[in-house]
Amino acid sequence: MKRIILFCLAAALCAQARPSLQVDRERVESGKTFGLQLVFPLAELPENRSDLQMETANGFTLVGIDSTDQVIRPSMEDMFNSFFGGGNRGGYKARVYTFNLKAPKKTGRLSVGQIFLTIDGQKRNLTGDVPISIQRAYSDEALAVSLTPSKKSVYEGEQFSVTLGFHTYEHFEGGLQATDMNTGDDFIVHRSDLANMKFEPVDGSRREMQASAKFAWLASTKSGNLQIPPFKFKYTKRGEPKVVEENKQMGGMTFSSRSVKQESVETETQTPAINITVKPLPTEGKPANFSGMVGNYSFNADFDRTSLKVGEAMTLTINIKGDGLPGSITDPKLPDFGEFRSVPPENEINKKIVGNKVITTKNIRVFLYPKKKGEFTIPEITYSWFNPSKKAYETAKAGPWNVVVEKGEATAEAIFQAPVAQGPAAVQKQEIEALGSDIRFIHKVNDASNTTAPYKSIVYWVIFAAAIPFYLIVTFAVRSRRKHNSDAALVRKGKADKMLKVRFANAREALKKGDAKALYAALENGLIDYLSDKTNLEFKGMTRAQMNEELEKLGVKNETITAIDSWLDKCAFARFAPVNPTKDEQQQMLKDVEKLCELVGSRK
């Protein structure tokens, strides 16, 4: 009876046998070969046919076609499904065509192409599009990093941006960390805050993630063929499957077993180096007062008033804004103000990201005091730059200004002289009248004092002698304090350690809350600000080469400079890494920064 049932099942399957497709392995990996098998029942093969043909697509390469006749035997599940209406085939003779294909490097669900068969001279499509899921090979990198410039050919000093991109594959396990993100010594750089970089699934492959954002804006400091070095990273990935054979003892007998294991592997990757062609600025049409700025700039200047009195001041306000060197703008050449005295100008520089560029703004204020009354003319002020989009120099002008100065209550010279010390105030007329309202008699002293004059006492001279050094000490202390307070650099240096404690307190608070991004930002800014406070140098906006050079001049050891440079790269990247370090690793990072600050503070 059992044999009869099996025979009926097999007959049903054979009756429903149809051509089918299958892949000869469970995992198809990018860049590697695999077999796409077309199982064609012999009973279904047409007689007047030609050889099978395949038209590939999406980068798949056909290596060859093999064929063999096989007996396709059903499993018990297939037979029962077929018998009860499942429609699966099995237990029949078929010709198996194997299309040996090489997968492209691209991953995701892609169409291999279509298979055709010519029957009676007519070309017929047997399969339509054949989709295949392509996965990254375990031997390949689990992380692809790219660095893309907005321009590869620029003028000297012209601003351009670079976009940092990440693509993680299914065998990526995390531990992403930057080991080198140096942009080289030939560029002024403004780095962006990538804390908000978000990883999103890749279309067609949900186990892959991608993210990209503008990493920095750069401007070259010289012309020629320059290069942005590779950015280097390390991370952890899942290794290739390995067959592990194990021997176990049980009851005096040895049993061997095999299993497939995959271990985590720490590996490195890097972006390709980027070659940038930097063209020199043209000499033709260069203005005599060319400021050295390259980009799209605006310039305006004006006085707050042009009518005043001697003893009053007028303010010249200059505003320059442009998208050239990030954080840097040259000063315009000021005219000879002639009959006006001026004090050192006040400068204020700001930069912010507007659209896809870093816009730098510089505000200058010049205070002028007229020397005498009269009508004066202040010459015009010009500012020039090179506009790369127009490939031409541009010049903006402001002025001239006609200024009217009237006589004031005080002479102009008195304003610039130190005040003269005055004696006791004279008695006024009304005071004399008040005193005259009565007669003040002078009383005769009846008895002369027998007290010895103080200066004839030894105690007097001892106290007098002791007061002299005390006076000198107090005077020296007061002057030292005034000198200290008037020296902004000295005051800043003196407060460096106190401000560092405040910054570390913010970092510890972020660590306590588990906010890794805030921790990295506090540590990075804290270290740079501490270096600036200790040296009275603004390290923000400097290139790494400039920073290292300044630290070397200050006597900081090379190993300390290298540690600072390496740590800044790690911290800058850690803020936007898809996987955060553990709390222990974050605490260690905090200790490392504290140690670096101690080394810098002691100049070791």
Side-chain angles (χ1 to χ4, degrees):
M1 185 67 181
K2 182 178 179 181
R3 291 183 178 180
I4 295 175
I5 294 175
L6 291 176
F7 176 78
C8 293
L9 289 173
L13 290 170
C14 291
Q16 297 179 9
R18 292 290 184 272
S20 62
L21 285 171
Q22 62 186 28
V23 180
D24 64 353
R25 63 199 65 195
E26 292 183 1
R27 178 185 173 92
V28 179
E29 296 184 342
S30 62
K32 296 189 176 182
T33 58
F34 67 98
L36 178 63
Q37 296 177 336
L38 173 63
V39 182
F40 213 123
L42 292 176
E44 299 287 337
L45 279 173
E47 295 183 358
N48 298 326
R49 67 182 187 277
S50 64
D51 293 335
L52 288 174
Q53 299 175 352
M54 184 175 192
E55 295 180 0
T56 58
N58 296 316
F60 287 89
T61 303
L62 179 62
V63 179
I65 304 176
D66 299 325
S67 65
T68 181
D69 292 343
Q70 300 179 11
V71 176
I72 308 300
R73 300 187 181 279
S75 64
M76 289 300 297
E77 182 181 357
D78 289 336
M79 289 190 292
F80 275 98
N81 288 338
S82 177
F83 184 77
F84 291 104
N88 293 325
R89 62 185 183 279
Y92 58 91
K93 292 182 179 180
R95 182 162 295 169
V96 179
Y97 295 92
T98 302
F99 297 86
N100 297 309
L101 297 162
K102 184 177 181 180
K105 286 293 184 181
K106 186 178 181 181
T107 59
R109 192 165 181 81
L110 307 173
S111 173
V112 176
Q114 300 178 347
I115 300 175
F116 297 89
L117 180 64
T118 301
I119 303 173
D120 294 331
Q122 294 183 353
K123 187 176 180 180
R124 299 185 180 181
N125 190 326
L126 296 181
T127 60
D129 290 330
V130 181
I132 295 288
S133 293
I134 307 299
Q135 296 173 310
R136 188 81 163 181
Y138 287 117
S139 58
D140 290 341
E141 293 180 344
L143 171 69
V145 188
S146 62
L147 193 65
T148 307
S150 59
K151 296 180 180 180
K152 286 192 173 182
S153 179
V154 296
Y155 283 98
E156 180 181 348
E158 180 182 358
Q159 184 184 128
F160 67 98
S161 62
V162 289
T163 300
L164 184 62
F166 297 92
H167 189 135
T168 63
Y169 297 91
E170 60 174 332
H171 56 305
F172 174 81
E173 292 186 339
L176 181 58
Q177 186 177 2
T179 57
D180 188 358
M181 298 179 72
N182 184 17
T183 52
D185 302 333
D186 301 324
F187 302 94
I188 299 295
V189 183
H190 172 81
R191 297 172 183 255
S192 65
D193 184 1
L194 301 179
N196 296 324
M197 177 181 281
K198 295 182 180 180
F199 282 77
E200 298 179 350
V202 177
D203 292 340
S205 183
R206 299 185 63 182
R207 288 182 287 184
E208 299 177 17
M209 305 290 288
Q210 63 181 2
S212 65
K214 280 189 168 42
F215 170 72
W217 287 261
L218 303 89
S220 64
T221 57
K222 63 181 181 180
S223 59
N225 295 320
L226 308 183
Q227 187 178 83
I228 300 176
F231 285 10
K232 298 178 182 179
F233 305 86
K234 66 179 181 180
Y235 63 96
T236 303
K237 72 172 184 177
R238 195 180 315 127
E240 294 186 69
K242 295 181 180 179
V243 178
V244 180
E245 186 171 346
E246 297 179 344
N247 295 322
K248 296 182 179 180
Q249 297 287 338
M250 183 177 294
M253 301 180 64
T254 302
F255 297 91
S256 63
S257 62
R258 290 186 175 184
S259 61
V260 178
K261 292 186 177 181
Q262 289 180 277
E263 298 180 350
S264 298
V265 179
E266 188 176 86
T267 186
E268 296 181 348
T269 186
Q270 64 181 33
T271 63
I274 299 177
N275 295 317
I276 303 294
T277 301
V278 181
K279 299 175 288 186
L281 298 179
T283 57
E284 183 179 356
K286 180 184 291 187
N289 67 334
F290 174 57
S291 65
M293 295 291 96
V294 178
N296 186 14
Y297 281 83
S298 64
F299 169 84
N300 58 73
D302 202 0
F303 284 94
D304 60 341
R305 54 174 156 171
T306 55
S307 179
L308 68 163
K309 296 179 180 180
V310 174
E312 297 177 343
M314 62 181 186
T315 304
L316 171 63
T317 302
I318 302 174
N319 177 270
I320 310 171
K321 182 167 65 175
D323 57 7
L325 289 175
S328 178
I329 292 182
T330 57
D331 291 332
K333 183 178 180 180
L334 299 178
D336 182 6
F337 292 116
E339 298 300 327
F340 293 86
R341 289 187 176 91
S342 63
V343 296
E346 294 181 356
N347 293 331
E348 180 185 4
I349 297 181
N350 297 300
K351 59 179 178 178
K352 63 178 180 178
I353 299 173
V354 179
N356 292 323
K357 292 187 176 182
V358 175
I359 305 299
T360 304
T361 303
K362 187 170 190 176
N363 294 312
I364 305 172
R365 291 195 300 171
V366 182
F367 303 98
L368 300 178
Y369 297 85
K371 299 177 183 177
K372 59 183 180 180
K373 60 174 290 189
E375 295 185 6
F376 310 99
T377 299
I378 295 179
E380 67 179 11
I381 302 174
T382 62
Y383 195 75
S384 300
W385 62 88
F386 180 77
N387 192 328
S389 61
K390 299 180 180 180
K391 298 181 180 181
Y393 290 94
E394 295 181 335
T395 300
K397 299 180 181 180
W401 297 270
N402 294 319
V403 180
V404 178
V405 180
E406 298 178 356
K407 185 177 180 180
E409 295 179 359
T411 61
E413 289 75 6
I415 299 174
F416 298 94
Q417 293 177 356
V420 180
Q422 302 292 331
V427 179
Q428 301 298 318
K429 181 178 180 181
Q430 60 269 24
E431 295 178 2
I432 297 175
E433 291 175 351
L435 291 174
S437 62
D438 196 2
I439 299 175
R440 306 298 176 94
F441 294 96
I442 300 175
H443 297 276
K444 181 179 179 182
V445 178
N446 295 326
D447 297 318
S449 176
N450 296 323
T451 305
T452 305
Y455 61 87
K456 294 182 180 181
S457 172
I458 297 177
V459 177
Y460 171 83
W461 289 108
V462 170
I463 296 174
F464 180 79
I468 293 175
F470 178 76
Y471 171 77
L472 295 176
I473 292 172
V474 172
T475 303
F476 177 78
V478 171
R479 289 181 178 179
S480 299
R481 184 64 179 175
R482 289 176 178 175
K483 182 178 180 181
H484 181 277
N485 293 337
S486 64
D487 190 339
L490 195 60
V491 172
R492 184 179 184 184
K493 183 177 180 180
K495 294 182 179 179
D497 293 331
K498 181 179 179 181
M499 295 303 299
L500 183 63
K501 291 181 181 179
V502 175
R503 297 178 183 116
F504 278 149
N506 295 335
R508 291 190 182 92
E509 184 67 22
L511 178 62
K512 183 178 179 181
K513 293 180 180 179
D515 190 348
K517 306 298 183 185
L519 171 66
Y520 304 141
L523 291 178
E524 183 180 11
N525 294 329
L527 177 58
I528 294 177
D529 290 342
Y530 181 69
L531 292 174
S532 301
D533 291 344
K534 274 292 186 182
T535 61
N536 198 36
L537 297 174
E538 293 300 334
F539 285 101
K540 287 184 178 179
M542 285 189 184
T543 64
R544 289 294 173 82
Q546 292 172 333
M547 179 184 293
N548 295 343
E549 183 179 352
E550 294 296 337
L551 291 175
E552 187 175 356
K553 291 179 181 178
L554 294 169
V556 181
K557 285 187 175 182
N558 290 332
E559 53 266 30
T560 304
I561 296 174
T562 303
I564 292 174
D565 191 60
S566 175
W567 190 90
L568 286 175
D569 279 339
K570 292 178 182 178
C571 191
F573 179 75
R575 288 187 295 166
F576 58 89
V579 179
N580 290 327
T582 63
K583 189 171 183 179
D584 292 339
E585 291 174 333
Q586 294 177 30
Q587 290 176 339
Q588 185 60 44
M589 293 176 74
L590 178 58
K591 292 179 181 178
D592 291 342
V593 180
E594 290 176 335
K595 184 177 180 181
L596 285 175
C597 291
E598 290 177 2
L599 292 174
V600 173
S602 60
R603 294 289 193 274
K604 294 181 179 178

